[in-house]
Amino acid sequence: MKHEDKHISSYSSLAIVLAVLLLLTAFSVWITGFHFGAFTVAVALIIASVKVATVLINFMHLKFENLFLRLLVTGVFVMFALVVILTFVDYYFR
Amino acid sequence: MSVHNTHSEHIDSETGKLGMWIFLFTELFLFGGLFLVYAVFRAKYSAEFHLAAGELNAFIGTMNTVFLLFSSMTVAMSLTAIQKGDRKLALFLVFVTILLAGLFMVNKYFEWSHKFEYGIYPGSEVLKNMSHGELLFFGLYYMMTGLHALHVLVGMVLLSINVVKIRSGSVNSDHYLMLENSALYWHLVDLIWIFLFPLLYLIT
Amino acid sequence: MSISGSETQVSYLEYQGKHKGIWSWLLSTDHKRIGLLYLYAIIIFFFVAAFLGLLMRIELIAPGRTIMEPQTYNGLFTIHGIIMIFVIVIPGLAAVFGNFFLPILIGARDVAFPKLNLFSWYLYMIGAILGVLSQFIGGGAPDTGWTFYVPYSVESSTNVIYALTAAFILGFSSILTGLNFIVTIHRMRAPGMGWMRMPLFPWALYATAWIQVLATPIVGITLLMVIAERVLNIGFFDPALGGDPVLFQHLFWIYSHPAVYIMILPAMGIVTEIFPTFSQKPVFGYGAIVLSSLAIAFVGYFVWGHHMFTSGMSYNARWFFSFLTFIVAVPSAIKVFNWISTMYGGSIDLKPPLLYAISFIFLFMIGGFTGLVLGSLATNVQTHDTAFVMAHFHYIIFGGMGFAFFAAIHYWAPKMFGRMYNFRLAYIAWGFNFIGFNMLYFPLFIVGLQGMPRRAYDYLPQFQSGHVLSTIGSFILFAGLLLMVYNLIRGARKGAVAPANPWKGVTLEWKIPSPPPHENFDDLPEITSKPYLFGNISDNK
């Protein structure tokens, strides 16, 4: 079956996305020089999450996909977060 | 959808893509288990994890991150090229992607063998004499990067199959599900690394 | 609804494709043939594992040594558990009846990825055979129990690695089946079949498939970590290396509790098909059943901690998991009310499938209520790791999933094989099964409450009367199972030819010939109304 409606990302937009990702990487390397104490991991994870979202939306074409798939992808990350939180309900209160 | 879709050989692209996405979810949870273990031990032994992460070479890690990000772009571009019907460019871009993946693996090889020279490998005497936290860190390091490297290899194989299929014309501007799904898989390999990189290399 | 009963096509049993003879089965991508491949494999493995269970019951008829050594007993309960859980009940209903009937019930010609479907079966067989082999080769049968708790599973010198690998491969097969079903339900429904016009067995399979896809990878990676710990000496869970055994329990149950819902949700889906047909009445509360399936799948994902109340979890985690456990009982109860209300006022026809379905409710209720006993923190301390747990578990899994399987095979066998089994024998076999089952497991509740630990080879003389009763029950049950399978096989081979619709059912499978033609439908059906509408006009509001 043919692809009925092609969504094509332009080369330049993909290149811009890469530039953003590289900048974020540089930023996260640079920021490790500072000590935020307990928040170091949080900062690193926030930057990583932004990068992941960028890849999902642009490279993996989620912006072209239907609402259902977008909800699914979000839901999967939320499910995993809930699993981690529930596990830490145990470890945090030990 | 046509009413007469008998057991057809061609899987339509929406169906194939949904299947791939669901497969990627299982991959996320596969690595998710490791991330959960990491999180628990990291909370328990944060000082030792800091110490152990200092042993890793952040420069090599950053380089590998750049390789993977670049390769993610090239594979996305190859999809654009095939959609536009530019076979030669698509082939070239898939080829560059495989090359970058290869560079990643070479880097990884040197990184691991460097660790091995220092006697840091699972079950080694050096490791046994370290604190529990460091031992767990390196255990996780090998398990996570090892499993990830395995995925890189699988991705390389998938992309190589695409090279053949683009050459033969069975992946073309009308039928490119195979390339699309391989690209999705390759982006997942990148996604996992985006999380692994700060957690293993940047917590010093 | 306009359905063309196909006279032009040969049945899937006689269809000759590219391959001949045995290869027309082993290389078939027809979902119906793959369903039967699973069925035959499951029957064989079931009798292997049931026989191991019988041996254990014989051993336990008296304290001390009866017929085997303690180490043999440890191997038996481990392999019995691994085969029953990973090879039979987890794939069980979804792989056999899901494969066979999901495409037919939603009006499709096959699943979305037929080749992947066959591949799942091969993975399944490799895993299953590896699991059985681990009993016989090299270092002796694994003796960790099917739960593989560390640190013992790291230290045991038996074939634990084979068993772990088998479970890993079986998990992978289960993931691929789940993936296939999700995509099939999304993409292959017949024209006009909106989500809320889909029959309820596909709905149950849909909820199940999501758990398969999202929970199984966690146990996959956990088993890989144990393998890495054994082979490469990487520390994860072994306290000697700084690891955390309770973390293993978390990871294991993050999958293995939802796995219970992988087993029971399709069972609930099947009896939901059976009650309307034998009451000739639309199902009561269609929407409530759909929602409760999804709610069970979702909430069931977050209750794993109730297996670990005595493992040293924090108090906050314990009460919270206990609370969630009670929450998940609500949608299960909703379903029970729906089934009973479906029968209420209907013209009930007590054929063997309905008899098994009603037994399912009875046994599942006992299993469910004793589950609440285990789910409360205070009573759990008394009953944890006793025969009470084992009895509860078997009431849910065998009484629930097992009896639903029997209900399903009696319901759909005429469709699958085009021939009818003998009703008289079916009723007799049911009697043996029902009495034998209760006699086997109910005494274990009592000795469990009195303090009999599970997985124990030996016991105090005070528990003996309960164990004797239980062993007698196991023989009655085994006889009943043999009789049932004999009746079904004889029926499938030379029973009376079954009509297309022997039970006056209204879902799509009853509108095509028995056995179904190779491509299920000549033309895909157009769905114009809700499911479960029987002829009676007052019902069709």
Side-chain angles (χ1 to χ4, degrees), chain A residues 7-67:
Chain A
H7 294 285
I8 304 180
S9 308
S10 69
Y11 298 116
S12 56
S13 71
L14 292 172
I16 292 169
V17 172
L18 175 67
V20 171
L21 287 170
L22 288 176
L23 274 177
L24 282 168
T25 309
F27 182 62
S28 74
V29 173
W30 175 72
I31 211 165
T32 41
F34 299 89
H35 290 282
F36 297 103
F39 295 104
T40 320
V41 182
V43 172
L45 279 181
I46 289 169
I47 299 173
S49 305
V50 173
K51 285 165 77 179
V52 162
T54 314
V55 171
L56 279 168
I57 293 167
N58 297 292
F59 283 167
M60 298 173 89
H61 294 169
L62 263 191
K63 59 179 172 186
F64 299 138
E65 298 291 350
N66 53 33
L67 180 68

Side-chain angles (χ1 to χ4, degrees), chain C residues 196-228:
Chain C
M196 294 315 253
R197 285 179 182 172
M198 194 162 71
L200 288 158
F201 181 49
W203 261 115
L205 286 173
Y206 184 70
T208 312
W210 274 114
I211 318 179
Q212 283 175 296
V213 164
L214 294 185
T216 320
I218 303 254
V219 83
I221 192 70
T222 311
L223 298 176
L224 278 186
M225 280 190 260
V226 177
I227 292 175

Side-chain angles (χ1 to χ4, degrees), chain C residues 392-410:
Chain C
H392 153 75
F393 184 70
H394 282 82
Y395 263 88
I396 291 284
I397 299 307
F398 196 168
M401 184 273 171
F403 272 68
F405 194 101
F406 303 154
I409 192 86
H410 284 92

